[in-house]
Amino acid sequence: MARITREEVERIADLARLTLSAEEAQALTHDLDTMLEYVQALDGLDTQNVEPTAHPLPVATALRPDRARPSLAPEEAVGNAPEREGSAFTVPKVIEGVES
Amino acid sequence: MAQRLGTLSELRAALDDGRTSASDVVAQALGRARELAPAFAATRGLRADRAAEEALQADQRRTARALRSVLDGIPLLLKDNLNHRGEPTTCASRILDGYVSPYDATAVERVKAAGGVVIGRTNMDEFAMGSSTENACDQPTRNPWDPTRVPGGSSGGSAAAVAAGIVPVALGSDTGGSVRQPASFCGVVGIKPTYGRVSRYGLVAFASSLDQVGVFSRTAADAAALLQVISGHDPLDSTSLDEPVPDYAAALDGDVAGLTIGLPREYFVEQGVDPDVLERVRDAVKELERAGAKTCEVSLPHTPYAVATYYLIAMAEASSNLARYDGVRYGHRATGAHDLQSMYSRTRSEGFGAEVKRRILLGTYVLSAGYYDAYYRKAQQARTLLRGDFEAAYRSCDLILTPTAPEVAFALGERSADPLQMYLSDIFTVSANLAGIPGISVPCGFARDLPVGLQLLGPALGESLLLRVADAYQRRTDWHTKTPPEAS
């Protein structure tokens, strides 16, 4: 039985902001199915009462004094933007029905 | 043809004796990088003018008797996922087209402060996702020992560049074996330090709880020298360890007498492991026994779950980390999109390669509502058990020895159509990342004329021990002095 359907792959792709071609969707459905089958091996592992590990070594929340420090100048910070106006990033309009 | 560069120690001696200058050494490295680029594609871009300038400054510091460190004036390469101010960082991805780093990664800043001369960037699997360097967006790197084979990955360019004698040392990153496995395939030394030993600030994030900057070299002594420079706490990485950095070079006393080396029975198996690789690794065990080390069998019983655990966690973290590539702030942006959402989708679909999409999708799936507990949480629990395996093993041994990879370098194209088969190449390396412990791959011979690597795994912050044993092994063997015929 398939572990994942093409419809699910397309739904996930939408969540991940990826547009898949028909061929990609088909190939990825197969790949994801194979991978999900492989990781099902973990089902056989008894993890009752096992704490999950989010981080390999114990880390405490690092705190520092709340002081202003030098940082990138606004011009530098936006210097890599594909499109910008002054020190702002520009994007296609977000609000429907408003003339830009 | 520009000659092979010597090791860092050899270059250091030649510089100190006045037999050469940093300018000459850097020119030689740049010349060799250019000449070998068509055959091996180890590098992604050279910074010839700036490197020459920096070499000249190193020579001036020598004249002024103001050398900064043993690395001063030594040429090296950076994996193309480490930010270097004023230089492109591409991660071998189209989505970072045109990106120029506005800042230095901490590891890079420390290399520069020590006088190291970065001559350029090395090729890699896109976003470090792969085990063969075939997932680069433009061209794969080839193995200097046999150009029909892969160099391993994802830091294949760094490994190949060191093996080909372009540079004595290079930086890479290791999320599941991406330093150690290519080191094994290319016949060089590769060390992945303890998680948190080296700052990740400025290393482009793939899987944040697993990523660690690592070092390539031909000798353990050279790895010690470069690791010394880049290690230590960094306030800009809250996961970097605030622990003193020992003098790694001082630990290299050639002595392994009295050490107990654990051999995990789950790694010395006939099934799925090249018998010639096993034989070479067993020979290395005997060599270390002759040097006075004791060995014992240990068990890491959750090993069969390591690859599944690793890929679930790595892909989940990757899907989250790679959400930032949206065409707004840097890199590629699709043209012609009329609204924000389609701009995001088209940018990402055009910018990412097949493997990156595969991992983002699986990662998104396992983190999505309804699947989180079954996959992601389950993998985090398995991670706890895998960590426990090592804690238990280190109660009966000082360090662990395994093959680095179950195989030697495979042919280009051999695994491209089978992602799962590619992932299984990491079967012996992923556990160290899950447990956060250090590992080193050291050349231990050849199988069918291709390099074989042995892996040493230590307890957290056990870098000195790993380097000491690797160095002791290299003092007794000459595998690391062999050079690839195609790049000699």
Side-chain angles (χ1 to χ4, degrees), chain A residues 12-50:
Chain A
I12 294 294
D14 191 48
L15 288 176
R17 299 289 182 263
L18 289 169
T19 312
L20 304 178
S21 68
E23 300 86 73
E24 275 183 312
Q26 191 181 352
L28 284 162
T29 304
H30 171 264
D31 292 347
L32 262 57
D33 192 57
T34 309
M35 283 148 64
L36 290 171
E37 182 186 6
Y38 179 75
V39 301
Q40 267 188 349
L42 287 181
D43 290 352
L45 186 62
D46 181 4
T47 51
Q48 220 177 0
N49 304 321
V50 176

Side-chain angles (χ1 to χ4, degrees), chain B residues 70-285:
Chain B
V70 295
L71 199 62
D72 205 337
I74 300 290
L76 75 157
L77 284 158
L78 305 177
K79 186 175 183 179
D80 200 359
N81 60 353
L82 283 159
N83 279 278
H84 184 186
R85 188 181 169 90
E87 305 291 333
T89 302
T90 73
C91 293
S93 180
R94 296 202 190 288
I95 210 156
L96 278 167
D97 265 354
Y99 174 78
V100 175
S101 300
Y103 70 106
D104 281 325
T106 297
V108 176
E109 188 179 48
R110 289 182 181 183
V111 161
K112 286 163 70 173
V117 180
V118 176
I119 66 161
R121 296 170 283 122
T122 57
N123 201 15
M124 56 187 284
D125 286 299
E126 184 178 2
F127 283 105
M129 296 178 184
S131 308
S132 69
T133 316
E134 291 170 292
N135 294 335
C137 63
D138 35 29
Q139 56 178 342
T141 295
R142 291 166 182 273
N143 191 315
W145 292 90
D146 177 352
T148 69
R149 293 175 184 270
V150 303
S154 65
S155 313
S158 289
V162 171
I166 294 171
V167 283
V169 287
L171 292 185
S173 66
D174 189 314
T175 303
S178 281
V179 164
R180 290 160 288 154
Q181 183 255 22
S184 171
F185 280 16
C186 291
V188 299
V189 170
I191 183 165
K192 180 205 91 80
T194 305
Y195 182 83
R197 177 76 292 182
V198 179
S199 170
R200 291 181 296 111
Y201 180 73
L203 169 70
V204 177
F206 160 13
S208 304
S209 79
L210 303 162
D211 296 339
Q212 187 63 192
V213 177
V215 169
F216 290 94
S217 60
R218 296 218 290 284
T219 66
D222 284 3
L226 182 50
L227 187 61
Q228 192 79 47
V229 167
I230 63 172
S231 293
H233 181 245
D234 176 13
L236 297 176
D237 173 3
S238 64
T239 62
S240 75
L241 293 168
D242 197 358
E243 298 285 338
V245 180
D247 183 342
Y248 294 129
L252 310 182
D253 60 5
D255 188 11
V256 296
L259 286 178
T260 304
I261 300 175
L263 308 174
R265 75 169 70 100
E266 294 81 5
Y267 288 54
F268 286 84
V269 290
E270 309 302 328
Q271 201 192 350
V273 188
D274 182 329
D276 292 337
V277 167
L278 270 186
E279 199 180 311
R280 291 294 91 74
V281 174
R282 287 194 174 115
D283 290 345
V285 170

